[in-house]
Amino acid sequence: MDLNTSAPSVAALRIDGARLWQSLMDLARIGGTPKGGVCRLALTDLDRQGRDLFAQWARDAGCTLRVDAIGNIFARRAGADDSLPPVMTGSHIDTQPTGGKFDGNYGVMAGLEVLRTLNAAGVRTRAPIEVAVWTNEEGSRFVPVMMGSGVFAGAFTLEHALAQRDAQGVSVGEALAAIGYAGEAGPAPAVGAYFEAHIEQGPVLEKHGRVIGVVQAALGQRWYDVTVHGMEAHAGPTPMELRQDALLAASHLVAEVNRIAVNRMPHARGTVGSLEVFPNSRNVIPGRVKFSVDLRAPDDAQLLDMDAALRSACTRIAAERGLRVDVEQVVYFPPQPFTPHLVEAVRANAADLGYGSMDVVSGAGHDAVYVARVAPAAMIFVPCADGISHNEIEDAEPAHLEAGCNVLLRAMLAAAEVVS
């Protein structure tokens, strides 16, 4: 993509990979765990320390800061025409209880590195550039997940988010006030373009030997609670042909969930991650089983097809086994395509920089998924070791992180327009 400048110094501009890595390592010390990971739950004092460190770094980079009512932080580098909507990047710095150094943190530190690089090179952009730190993306302490970006995009109300409570009964509003990040309420400002750099959190890029994932879309998700109603009976006297074994029926349905996704590869997903057996006794035939189903697909048509296949399997197996199966959908996230011209900017800049890339979809939720509802948006993935994330051993190659940040820099410059 054309950077809209004839200055060769801008076309040749690269981020400082060592500085980016050091920022990630410095941030990781806040909430660092003995196994080398990070535990920095949303709106705890450790989160405050992480936020304070980012805020100081952003001020040192000449940015102005604002905090909204759900605690999202926006660090702004002024543009030549500061009335234009900003070109934004960012992610989150809250982690899972046994999280790693890179999930979310990379996107925020990559944004900070873009600011530092532009400052060092004396580059001025027409539109302002902002780096966002979104509140409670992980949902480890408070639900819903992706809370800050969800409020920003109007997916749920500020009042609903502030009222949510953790396991100790502390509300989001109380926690924000306690750490000093309860900002001003008001309508979300317009965003000219949003880019989010992120580790892939899966094995595809590493398997294919590619450095950049050009993210086409985020998978839509439908989650269900499925309950199989059978009959408890003694495991010894009850003949096999006379049983209403809820666990046996559930096991067939677990296999069906897998089959539904396998038949719709490469992007469909089907997972049973939780299963409760009643009465859960060694010598009692299970009378009731409740389990979760997580279906994901890149478009609604396929997701609805998977929904129909699940319900059909439940009806069929219930009839075959002489019992009842109830299906309740509990979550729906619509598929979210990213903005074509921004996706193409990621692809083109990866090619210009000589990085091997491939088109991918995001199977996980990210703040970009909500931001994409209200602004043009795209994502940049880089590999992580063995595809492992949400784990203390999460790891990434410094060279890959540097590459993703260089693509981010180029894409943001093109969107913001270099003027000098």
Side-chain angles (χ1 to χ4, degrees):
M1 174 173 269
D2 185 5
L3 292 179
N4 295 320
T5 179
S6 59
S9 61
V10 173
L13 199 59
R14 300 292 185 273
I15 66 100
D16 184 333
R19 184 171 56 195
L20 170 62
W21 181 263
Q22 190 60 54
S23 297
L24 284 162
M25 296 306 104
D26 290 345
L27 180 61
R29 292 191 185 98
I30 301 173
T33 66
K35 293 183 179 180
V38 181
C39 178
R40 193 169 53 238
L41 302 185
L43 309 186
T44 59
D45 189 64
L46 287 171
D47 188 23
R48 176 194 62 76
Q49 293 178 43
R51 286 164 170 262
D52 287 351
L53 181 59
F54 169 79
Q56 185 58 56
W57 281 339
R59 291 190 187 98
D60 292 344
C63 292
T64 57
L65 295 178
R66 62 185 172 85
V67 179
D68 68 12
I70 195 61
N72 297 320
I73 306 170
F74 302 94
R76 184 183 183 96
R77 184 180 193 264
D81 184 351
D82 222 35
S83 67
L84 291 173
V87 174
M88 185 183 291
T89 188
S91 195
H92 61 96
I93 62 170
D94 66 304
T95 75
Q96 292 286 333
T98 53
K101 299 182 180 75
F102 304 100
D103 176 10
N105 302 289
Y106 169 53
V108 175
M109 293 300 100
L112 178 67
E113 178 56 31
V114 167
L115 299 179
R116 289 169 166 170
T117 300
L118 296 181
N119 288 346
V123 173
R124 191 180 186 205
T125 57
R126 186 171 305 281
I129 287 178
E130 289 191 355
V131 180
V133 179
W134 302 105
T135 295
N136 188 48
E137 192 273 352
E138 292 291 359
S140 299
R141 183 182 177 195
F142 300 101
V143 293
V145 300
M146 304 183 305
M147 180 180 283
S149 55
V151 170
F152 183 87
F156 31 84
T157 67
L158 172 65
E159 292 73 23
H160 172 76
L162 293 176
Q164 301 311 299
R165 295 185 180 274
D166 67 7
Q168 285 70 47
V170 178
S171 74
V172 170
E174 291 165 347
L176 279 169
I179 68 167
Y181 278 89
E184 296 296 321
V191 176
Y194 178 79
F195 296 93
E196 184 167 346
H198 210 282
I199 59 169
E200 182 191 3
Q201 300 184 282
V204 175
L205 292 175
E206 187 177 67
K207 177 183 177 182
H208 290 275
R210 307 297 175 86
V211 176
I212 301 296
V214 183
V215 187
Q216 306 296 296
L219 298 180
Q221 305 178 36
R222 291 184 185 269
W223 295 358
Y224 307 82
D225 285 340
V226 178
T227 307
V228 182
H229 301 272
M231 177 69 71
E232 304 97 84
H234 197 300
T238 310
M240 302 301 290
E241 72 275 10
L242 298 180
R243 298 181 176 204
Q244 291 179 287
D245 187 333
L247 182 56
L248 180 61
S251 69
H252 287 290
L253 287 171
V254 171
E256 284 295 310
V257 169
N258 185 75
R259 182 189 62 80
I260 287 167
V262 167
N263 287 350
R264 293 161 178 83
M265 292 196 296
H267 296 314
R269 308 283 190 267
T271 305
V272 174
S274 172
L275 189 144
E276 303 169 8
V277 180
F278 177 84
N280 203 31
S281 177
R282 183 182 297 271
N283 63 343
V284 178
I285 298 164
R288 185 176 71 249
V289 174
K290 182 176 180 180
F291 61 94
S292 65
V293 174
D294 178 329
L295 299 180
R296 306 189 187 206
D299 60 74
D300 255 331
Q302 187 171 81
L303 201 53
L304 287 170
D305 180 52
M306 296 171 73
D307 174 274
L310 173 65
R311 294 178 187 276
S312 175
C314 288
T315 300
R316 173 174 54 81
I317 290 172
E320 290 172 356
R321 297 292 165 183
L323 35 68
R324 189 175 97 244
V325 179
D326 297 332
V327 182
E328 178 188 6
Q329 181 177 294
V330 294
V331 167
Y332 169 60
F333 288 108
Q336 181 59 63
F338 291 119
T339 307
H341 75 275
L342 297 187
V343 173
E344 178 54 35
V346 172
R347 182 185 293 107
N349 282 304
D352 287 347
L353 290 163
Y355 302 137
S357 71
M358 64 181 293
D359 290 354
V360 296
V361 297
S362 174
H366 297 288
D367 292 307
V369 175
Y370 276 144
V371 179
R373 296 187 182 187
V374 295
M379 293 194 73
I380 301 161
F381 277 178
V382 298
C384 54
D386 300 319
I388 294 172
S389 184
H390 285 192
N391 188 311
E392 290 166 284
I393 66 170
E394 175 184 276
D395 200 6
E397 292 286 342
H400 294 161
L401 300 172
E402 180 177 347
C405 193
N406 275 324
V407 174
L408 175 68
L409 170 67
R410 292 277 296 255
M412 292 187 74
L413 282 177
E417 189 181 346
V418 175
V419 295
S420 62

